[in-house]
Amino acid sequence: MGFIDLQRAFPSISRRKLFEHLAAIGISKRMLNAIESYHSHTSTKIRFNGFLSKSFVTNVGVREGGVLSPLLFLLFFNDAESAIVNSASFDPQFKLGEVDANCAFFADDVIVAGVNQDKVGGLMMDFQEYCNRKGLNIFKVLPIKIFHPFP
């Protein structure tokens, strides 16, 4: 089993890739224009040790604290499961009850599981390739060995 955490997922999304993905999944041109407008000409400041930086332009990521940001991230990341399911290491027989148990997602955290370390390693490598295509960086990978005697 492996636990994967994406690095700065919301602020590091390529807006160009986000807008292309939203168009590809069928978001209307009118809605897409509104989302693009909402993300144009953005700037931010950083507060550190009680000091506030000068404002600077941002051209990547979804708006920090924006009400649309979690939804936009999920729409951008909605094809992540296909990176696992289409992997050569995917094992359709690895189930918890009736549910495929090769992967689980929660926001920007991912768990991959398999019958052995090679399968888990293959799933993790394929997920890394997916992240590279999307421009996402993996912050932390925690491989865990779990031994369970199956009946």
Side-chain angles (χ1 to χ4, degrees):
M1 182 176 289
F3 294 88
I4 302 169
D5 183 32
L6 296 178
Q7 180 178 23
R8 301 184 65 235
F10 280 35
S12 64
I13 290 176
S14 161
R15 289 182 184 167
R16 179 186 55 79
K17 288 183 180 185
L18 170 64
F19 301 147
E20 288 172 358
H21 182 74
L22 293 175
I25 63 172
I27 299 297
S28 73
K29 185 66 174 161
R30 185 174 179 173
M31 180 58 76
L32 191 55
N33 287 340
I35 294 168
E36 288 178 9
S37 177
Y38 180 66
H39 283 87
S40 66
H41 308 295
T42 57
S43 63
T44 194
K45 296 178 182 181
I46 297 175
R47 183 179 305 278
F48 182 72
N49 284 341
F51 295 99
L52 190 62
S53 74
K54 291 183 178 182
S55 182
F56 59 92
V57 174
T58 58
N59 54 15
V60 295
V62 292
R63 285 180 172 258
E64 194 74 27
V67 295
L68 283 179
S69 297
L71 176 61
L72 291 173
F73 176 78
L74 290 175
L75 289 171
F76 182 69
F77 199 57
N78 74 340
D79 59 345
E81 186 178 11
S82 67
I84 304 295
V85 173
N86 294 327
S87 170
S89 298
F90 180 78
D91 183 356
Q93 301 302 313
F94 191 67
K95 294 183 179 285
L96 292 173
E98 295 297 315
V99 178
D100 289 332
N102 286 262
C103 59
F105 296 87
F106 182 78
D108 67 341
D109 298 315
V110 181
I111 299 171
V112 295
V115 293
N116 59 45
Q117 278 185 287
D118 291 337
K119 292 284 189 184
V120 172
L123 292 172
M124 293 176 96
M125 287 177 55
D126 290 338
F127 186 74
Q128 173 69 59
E129 288 176 20
Y130 165 84
C131 288
N132 291 343
R133 286 191 309 274
K134 294 290 246 186
L136 299 170
N137 295 314
I138 292 178
F139 171 65
K140 196 183 302 183
V141 174
L142 182 60
I144 296 180
K145 292 181 187 177
I146 297 177
F147 297 100
H148 178 73
F150 289 98

